[in-house]
Every structure is written in structure tokens, then in C-alpha cells.
Amino acid sequence: MDPAVPLDQLLPPPTEPDNSHKTYSIAIACIVLGVLGSAFVCARLWYRIRTKTIGIDDYAIIPSFILYLGWTILTVYSCLVTGVDKPLHEITLREFTIWFQSIIAVTWLYPAMSAAIRTSIILFYYRIFRDGHGKLFANIVWALLALQAIYVVVFSILPGFICRPFRYAWLPLERAPYCSSDYWNAIQITLYSVSLAFDLILLIFPVFPIYSLQMPLKKRLGVGIMFMLGASASVASAYKLAAYLLDLPRTTTWDPVWFDYQMSRYIPVQFDNYGVAVWIPGELEPTLALLGASLPAVYPLCKRASARVVTILSSRQTSTPFRSSTSGSSAAARSGQKPFDDRVFKAPGKFQRLSESQLELRLLAETHMHQGSLDRRSDKSLSGGTPTT
């Protein structure tokens, strides 16, 4: 609609929530990611405590995990209670208010959470590589930890100047004269860019210590990939920054009647894609970071579990040939032949897997038995004379 149309000629926002056209795909995706990240962190702590190998990086992951749970709960709450995943013209004024309150809350929560996760990763690198890499390595670690503290302090102060006075920050109708959208966008772009830079540093940081390890190249590559997954959040950080920048200049919306409503003068059109552009990348980034940080600790546990599954499946697959071999052994006993070795062919409850040499011996024994049977039949036929017709 023409922006010259007077405000009083536009439709007011609805007063009662209407979720008839609301979908819950964004909320479900955030819940799934939250459960996945929480499961990996819990498995990591359980395995480290059980094996008595818990270290300073594991203690550092605990506050990270608490902040991550708060972030996930806040994200899911915002997706369920506000107007995420439904047409903009169906969103009430109260829902928009809660939406702005959620944005302000995560603005302060994100720096603390992301810095805490990176701190755990840095301490893990220090725990693994501190011996034999000199003072320079330790200085780099301490410098990275100091930068995380500065990062939290700076990006915890800057959001306080979004609105003056700040109490208008979450009031959709009153905030425009007191809040600067340009300042807000500049903070978000800077925050995402700095986070991406830190993630890229952590991505390449373990390459040099791993390169100096005394092990075959193939193993070094495997270890390097596993350690670099701890900084895999850089992929989500890059996606989040790109999605924000690409969506920022947009002036159109998929809601065809949005500009017939008064709230279109106060709410950016980017809110119609906020779940995909902000909430999903915002949940995906810390989830990947926690998965990557927990993978080196969880890997032995996963390897042991997979080996047990393979053993069970192999035992089930070999149970059928075992029964046929047992009947063959009984038939051999009835015919006067020497049965197979009882040390190999035991009762089903005491089954032992055959080695390749035992299989070869078994096939050779069966061949000799078959040949002996043919020889006896031939001798009997000769001794009995020519058969009569």
C-alpha cells in the first residue's frame, strides 16, 4: 500500500491470538538441535567421570551447557509464543512485544554462551598440546582466553545503547523515535563477524601442533579432522552472517495483505523470515560447537558401542551355519566317522567363531569323508558282482 495513506485508514492489529495458519517447523527444528547438543555434552561428561579423565576443559563446558540450555529454551519459547511461522498480519501487539523482548534477551545471552563454548575448546587444546610445544603455545592460549573475556564485555555493553531510554526497546509502537535500527544492525553484523573470526582461528589452531606429532600421516589427518570439528561452528556462523546480510535490504514480504495493517509501519518485513534467518542459525551454531567440542571425548564411547553392535550382528549371522554343521557332525557320528573337533563345535550357548584355518580344515575333512564314502560304495558293488536286471 502507498506509504502516504494515513495511519488511521489502515487495519489495526488483531487483539486475540490466531494460530490457525501457524506452523511449528522452526520450533521443532530448534528442539531437535537442542536435544542433540545436550545428549553429546551429557555423554561427554558421563564418560569422562566414569573413566576418571575429567579435566579443566570439562569443567569449562558445564557453564557453557547451562547457557546453551537457557538459549534453547528461550529460542523455543519465542518460536511458540510469538508470531514466528505465521502470517505477519495475524500477529497481535502482545506477540510482537514478546518477540522484541526475546530479541533483546538473546542479544545479551549470545556473547556469553559462544565465548564459554570457545573457552572450553581452547582449554581442551591446551590440555592436549601443552607438553612439548614451548612457551609460545601457552602465550597464544592465554591471549585467546583474554580475547574471549574482552569479547563478552564489549558486546554486553553495546546493546545497552540501542534505545535511549532503554525501556522503549521492546515496545513496538513507541520504540521508533528512541531506537536506532542502523545501530542495531551494525552491532549484529559486527557481533557475527567477530564470532566467525574466532571460530576460524579455532579451526586452524590445532593444525600446527598436530603436524608435529610423531605418527603416520594418515593418523595425523584423522586426528586433525576430529579436532577441527570442535570449531565446526564456523560453518553455521558464516551461514548466519550471510543470511542476515542478504535479508537485510529486503523491502517485500510474502504476506500479501501485510501493508494494509498499521503494524507494517512499525515492524520490519524481515520478521516474516526471522525463524530461518535468525533462530535456526542461532541454534545450529552452538549445537555444532558443542558436538565438535564433545566429539574427541565421546569418540571412544561411540567406537566401543559400534564394535559391540557389530559383534552381536556377526553372532546372529553365523548362528544358522552352526546348526547345519552340528547336524552334520551328528550324522558323521552315526555313520562311524569321527565328528568334528568338539573344541570348535560346541553347544549353541558356548559358540565360538571359526577362524580361516579352521574353516579350511573343515572343508578338507568334508571332502575326505565324501571321497571315502564313494570308495566304500565302489568296493561293495564290486564284491557283490554284476547287478541283475
Side-chain angles (χ1 to χ4, degrees), residues 64-105:
S64 308
F65 182 46
I66 295 174
L67 293 171
Y68 173 75
L69 288 178
W71 173 275
T72 302
I73 292 172
L74 183 58
T75 300
V76 174
Y77 172 80
S78 179
C79 292
L80 294 176
V81 177
T82 65
V84 176
D85 260 2
K86 76 177 184 178
L88 292 177
H89 72 274
E90 296 181 356
I91 303 176
T92 64
L93 180 61
R94 182 177 180 276
E95 288 175 326
F96 275 123
T97 302
I98 299 175
W99 197 328
F100 277 106
Q101 290 173 341
S102 301
I103 294 174
I104 296 300

Side-chain angles (χ1 to χ4, degrees), residues 121 124-129 202-207 210 213 219-232 292-293 295-296:
I121 297 173
F124 175 69
Y125 291 161
Y126 179 72
R127 176 185 179 184
I128 299 298
F129 301 117
L202 295 184
L203 184 65
I204 63 175
F205 182 62
V207 172
I210 292 174
L213 293 176
K219 289 187 176 181
R220 276 185 290 172
L221 290 175
V223 173
I225 292 173
M226 185 173 63
F227 276 86
M228 290 166 65
L229 285 175
S232 59
L295 185 60

Side-chain angles (χ1 to χ4, degrees), residues 223-275:
V223 173
I225 292 173
M226 185 173 63
F227 276 86
M228 290 166 65
L229 285 175
S232 59
S234 58
V235 178
S237 299
Y239 167 72
K240 182 170 66 175
L241 179 60
Y244 192 87
L245 291 174
L246 292 174
D247 204 43
L248 188 60
R250 184 165 58 89
T251 58
T252 59
T253 176
W254 58 268
D255 189 342
V257 298
W258 170 237
F259 293 106
D260 296 335
Y261 284 78
Q262 295 176 358
M263 295 305 295
S264 64
R265 302 289 178 89
Y266 305 99
I267 304 298
V269 295
Q270 286 77 14
F271 272 46
D272 67 352
N273 196 41
Y274 206 85

